[in-house]
């Protein structure tokens, strides 16, 4: 499982847990959602620091790899870029 997916699942799990606790405490509707959102953000900042740092490192490595591939000329063109090339070739 990728680090981004793991972090996202953990964040959602914390939110759901906070929502259940807020509902059990008597909050209803939008108030319960608002309380759960605020509390889950605060908890995830503290509890998920390691996972967030791992996700940031993985993202930075992916970006660095793409930059290096473009500089070396080994980058694969995106579907959008290939479409632009086809359109330009058709116009010429």
């Amino acid at each position: 499982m990728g680090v981004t997916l793991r972090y996202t699942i953990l964040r959602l799990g914390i939110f759901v847990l906070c929502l259940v606790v807020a509902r059990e405490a008597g909050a209803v509707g939008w108030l319960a959602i608002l309380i759960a959102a605020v509390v889950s953000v605060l908890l995830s900042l503290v509890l998920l620091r390691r996972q967030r740092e791992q996700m940031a490192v993985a993202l930075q490595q992916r970006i660095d790899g793409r930059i290096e591939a473009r500089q070396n000329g080994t980058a694969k063109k995106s579907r959008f870029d290939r479409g632009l090339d086809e359109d330009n070739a058709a116009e010429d």
Side-chain angles (χ1 to χ4, degrees), residues 3-75:
V3 291
T4 303
L5 181 60
R6 180 176 47 208
Y7 178 75
T8 302
I9 290 171
L10 289 171
R11 283 282 313 260
L12 285 172
I14 290 173
F15 173 75
V16 169
L17 181 65
C18 290
L19 184 60
V20 168
V21 170
R23 295 287 304 222
E24 290 297 319
V28 293
W30 288 104
L31 180 61
I33 294 172
L34 181 64
I35 290 170
V38 170
V39 173
S40 68
V41 165
L42 297 174
L43 285 174
S44 67
L45 284 173
V46 175
L47 299 175
L48 300 179
R49 187 184 77 198
R50 183 171 37 105
Q51 288 84 359
R52 189 172 49 256
E53 289 173 356
Q54 289 172 349
M55 185 176 64
V57 167
L59 181 60
Q60 187 62 49
Q61 289 173 346
R62 185 173 175 182
I63 291 170
D64 290 344
R66 286 185 177 185
I67 290 172
E68 186 177 328
R70 281 195 179 185
Q71 290 173 346
N72 295 339
T74 59

